[in-house]
Amino acid sequence: MTFVEPFPDELLSSWLPRMQPNRNTMNEPLLRAYRNSAGHWRHPDVHPTRSMIAELATNIGIAPTQIAKLGLCYRYPRIDPNFVAWRYVPSDYLGRYCEPALSLRITWCSRCLAEDYAGGRAAYVRADWAMAAGGFCSRHQVASVNVV
């Protein structure tokens, strides 16, 4: 696996596919929302677990602190999960007690992505784009586009 430096404001779910461009890591269980022992929804982009960070650091060969910085909890230490843009998707298990699972609803700024492409950089998902309160790009002052 070739090491690709994460951008300072990049999300974990954006960086991992850039590390492994031939795999669709967005659908891997590693990046899915889950319920913690208290029954609260958690997502690796918001707060990656220590075990996940340690495993990635070992497999990739970089410092765990560098991976931890890709979580929204690092950028916003007092983040409340209600300020993250969530969307409900059907559960993988359609059983008797099925409930929708959470995933992040990501928005993006077309101008930021165009600048990445024009500058010869990899286009990536910014951490701010996963925040529910941010419906616009703070850099370009334009409305963001929502992922359906």
Side-chain angles (χ1 to χ4, degrees), residues 15-91:
W15 177 66
L16 283 176
R18 291 192 316 107
M19 288 290 296
Q20 302 173 346
N22 298 333
R23 296 178 61 198
N24 185 3
T25 56
M26 290 296 289
N27 292 327
E28 289 187 7
L30 180 70
L31 294 174
R32 291 188 181 174
Y34 62 95
R35 285 191 187 270
N36 66 7
S37 58
H40 302 286
W41 282 104
R42 297 291 183 252
H43 193 280
D45 276 329
V46 179
H47 197 318
T49 62
R50 288 182 183 170
S51 61
M52 179 193 319
I53 291 170
E55 181 182 341
L56 287 170
T58 301
N59 291 342
I60 298 168
I62 64 172
T65 54
Q66 195 167 3
I67 296 171
K69 291 178 182 178
L70 299 174
L72 287 173
C73 66
Y74 181 85
R75 189 174 178 97
Y76 305 102
R78 304 184 102 195
I79 191 169
D80 182 318
N82 294 325
F83 285 100
V84 177
W86 298 106
R87 73 180 170 102
Y88 288 92
V89 295
S91 175

Side-chain angles (χ1 to χ4, degrees), residues 82-123:
N82 294 325
F83 285 100
V84 177
W86 298 106
R87 73 180 170 102
Y88 288 92
V89 295
S91 175
D92 288 342
Y93 175 71
L94 299 176
R96 184 173 169 185
Y97 300 104
C98 95
E99 62 179 308
L102 288 178
S103 80
L104 288 180
R105 190 185 75 208
I106 305 293
T107 61
W108 68 85
C109 172
S110 299
R111 290 185 186 176
C112 285
L113 296 176
E115 287 175 2
D116 288 344
Y117 181 74
R121 296 180 303 271

Side-chain angles (χ1 to χ4, degrees), residues 85 105-113 125 128-131 134-137 142-148:
R105 190 185 75 208
I106 305 293
T107 61
W108 68 85
C109 172
S110 299
R111 290 185 186 176
C112 285
L113 296 176
V125 177
D128 288 343
W129 296 350
M131 300 304 292
F136 68 98
C137 176
V142 295
S144 298
V145 177
N146 285 323
V147 173
V148 183

